[in-house]
Amino acid sequence: MASDKDTLVSMGFSPAKVQKAWKATNGAGLQPAMDWLLEHPEVSDEPDPEEEGQSLTSTTTTSAPAGSTDNEEGEIKDGEQTAQSLMCNDCSKLFRDPASAERHAIRTSHQNFSESTEAIAPLTEEEKAAKLAELKARLAEKRALKAKQEEEEKRQSEKIRRKTGQEITDARAKMEEKEIKKAFEAKRREKEQDRLAKAKIKAQIEADKRERAAKREKAKQQQQEQQEQAQASAAAAAAASAPGVKKEYNEARLQFRVPGSGPLTQTFAADATLDEVYQYLKLQGCNEPFTLSTTFPRKTFAERDMSKSLKELNLVPSSALVLAYI
């Protein structure tokens, strides 16, 4: 009949690993050794150095002298019996080792255990075969569970890798989009600055044009005023040198200087009122409120002068008037 150690070796465990399991379980039997081997798959197949030393020592140890009258080998006295098993005091079941008793306590919640000198019978061949089948099934289950765990870990790792890759891609896309928006915004600001600069230059050019036009208009008005003054001086001199007989004039020739257009000249009756002159100018397009004044001597006509004749206003026979918009 094969021993428990041989059975474990026949199951594929190395003799050194079986010896370590046997030592760890204090020789409790096949089942505890099987459980220990399943729980410690990382144990090396190399034998322990102290095991080798003990093996060498055991080969050189001699037996006691044959004629010795002391206790025979293996004989024990009364009271020297050693514990052969553990008993559950709650249900009177025997267990080969503490590990089996611990599993029983976890399963049944029993707490009272004691050592027993009663030895548990060794397993039969059928029991050993059943234990072997159970062990193989447990090994296959552990391998399948480990393979499943590895597959799940691999799937989770791949999922994490894909998620990380997607996050990196999204982050890169967002960064590129942000950079594009930033470039567009910079271009927009640049265009806006160019537009403002051009508008400023254009406004400055228009202001310069208006200023030059105003200067030309002012110079023109000054020149016309000088000419009118000269004409008035010449007329006054001619009148002073003329005979004392006063000439009667029935018409008044008026010349108007209008801003933004050429001068207007029109002949009115001497007894025409200043209001008629205003009406004529309005028909010529001077629709905005305006005033009339002489250049020399300087006089601006008021509302009270509207009903007076041109003769009463000394605008006969000819005069130059300046139109100014209010």
Side-chain angles (χ1 to χ4, degrees):
M1 182 182 296
S3 64
D4 293 340
K5 291 183 179 181
D6 294 336
T7 301
L8 293 172
V9 172
S10 67
M11 293 170 62
F13 297 105
S14 65
K17 187 176 289 188
V18 171
Q19 181 62 30
K20 293 177 181 179
W22 203 262
K23 180 180 178 181
T25 58
N26 297 322
L30 178 61
Q31 182 64 42
M34 289 168 58
D35 294 337
W36 190 89
L37 288 170
L38 291 175
E39 294 172 359
H40 300 81
E42 75 282 355
V43 176
S44 173
D45 291 334
E46 298 295 329
D48 292 337
E50 59 182 24
E51 291 290 339
E52 295 180 354
Q54 291 176 1
S55 177
L56 293 174
T57 304
S58 62
T59 57
T60 58
T61 304
T62 57
S63 59
S68 174
T69 58
D70 294 335
N71 294 338
E72 294 183 6
E73 183 179 358
E75 180 184 0
I76 60 174
K77 296 181 179 180
D78 188 20
E80 294 180 347
Q81 295 88 342
T82 59
Q84 298 295 320
S85 61
L86 291 173
M87 176 182 288
C88 176
N89 297 330
D90 295 330
C91 62
S92 300
K93 287 186 177 181
L94 294 176
F95 301 95
R96 296 179 183 276
D97 53 53
S100 300
E102 183 178 355
R103 288 195 296 273
H104 174 74
I106 295 173
R107 184 173 59 84
T108 62
S109 300
H110 293 172
Q111 300 295 329
N112 299 318
F113 293 87
S114 62
E115 292 181 346
S116 175
T117 58
E118 182 180 351
I120 300 175
L123 298 175
T124 63
E125 291 299 326
E126 291 77 6
E127 291 175 338
K128 288 182 180 180
K131 292 290 184 182
L132 178 60
E134 181 186 356
L135 177 60
K136 289 181 179 179
R138 292 173 64 183
L139 285 173
E141 183 181 355
K142 283 184 176 289
R143 291 193 186 99
L145 180 61
K146 184 176 181 181
K148 185 177 180 181
Q149 291 176 347
E150 290 177 352
E151 182 67 22
E152 182 64 23
E153 290 176 357
K154 184 178 179 181
R155 186 163 53 252
Q156 292 295 332
S157 298
E158 179 65 16
K159 186 177 180 181
I160 293 173
R161 185 189 67 78
R162 290 182 180 180
K163 183 179 179 181
T164 303
Q166 185 63 36
E167 290 176 351
I168 293 174
T169 302
D170 294 343
R172 187 180 292 113
K174 289 181 180 179
M175 185 176 296
E176 291 177 357
E177 182 180 358
K178 186 177 180 180
E179 291 297 327
I180 291 174
K181 287 183 178 180
K182 186 177 180 181
F184 282 162
E185 183 64 22
K187 189 68 176 178
R188 187 191 65 78
R189 287 197 300 268
E190 183 179 355
K191 288 183 178 180
E192 182 66 17
Q193 291 175 356
D194 291 342
R195 186 187 67 80
L196 293 176
K198 289 179 180 179
K200 185 177 181 180
I201 293 173
K202 185 177 180 180
Q204 184 63 40
I205 292 173
E206 293 296 330
D208 293 343
K209 286 182 179 180
R210 289 193 298 269
E211 184 178 358
R212 288 194 297 270
K215 288 182 179 179
R216 287 196 299 268
E217 184 66 22
K218 184 177 181 181
K220 185 177 179 181
Q221 290 179 358
Q222 290 177 352
Q223 184 178 3
Q224 288 180 354
E225 289 177 358
Q226 291 175 357
Q227 291 176 356
E228 291 171 357
Q229 289 177 1
Q231 291 176 359
S233 299
S241 60
V245 179
K246 187 175 182 180
K247 185 178 180 179
E248 292 291 335
Y249 294 96
N250 297 323
E251 295 180 345
R253 187 172 183 276
L254 302 181
Q255 184 182 34
F256 304 96
R257 187 168 69 248
V258 181
S261 64
L264 296 176
T265 303
Q266 181 64 23
T267 301
F268 297 89
D271 57 354
T273 63
L274 184 63
D275 183 67
E276 295 179 16
V277 176
Y278 268 77
Q279 296 301 323
Y280 164 77
L281 292 174
K282 288 181 179 180
L283 292 175
Q284 300 302 314
C286 303
N287 296 320
E288 297 181 9
F290 60 87
T291 61
L292 290 176
S293 60
T294 58
T295 57
F296 184 83
R298 185 73 176 180
K299 178 182 179 181
T300 300
F301 298 107
E303 184 69 24
R304 62 179 178 274
D305 299 323
M306 299 298 288
S307 59
K308 294 181 180 180
S309 66
L310 300 181
K311 187 175 182 179
E312 292 176 335
L313 296 174
N314 297 322
L315 297 178
V316 178
S318 63
S319 296
L321 299 177
V322 178
L323 186 148
Y325 290 110
I326 300 175

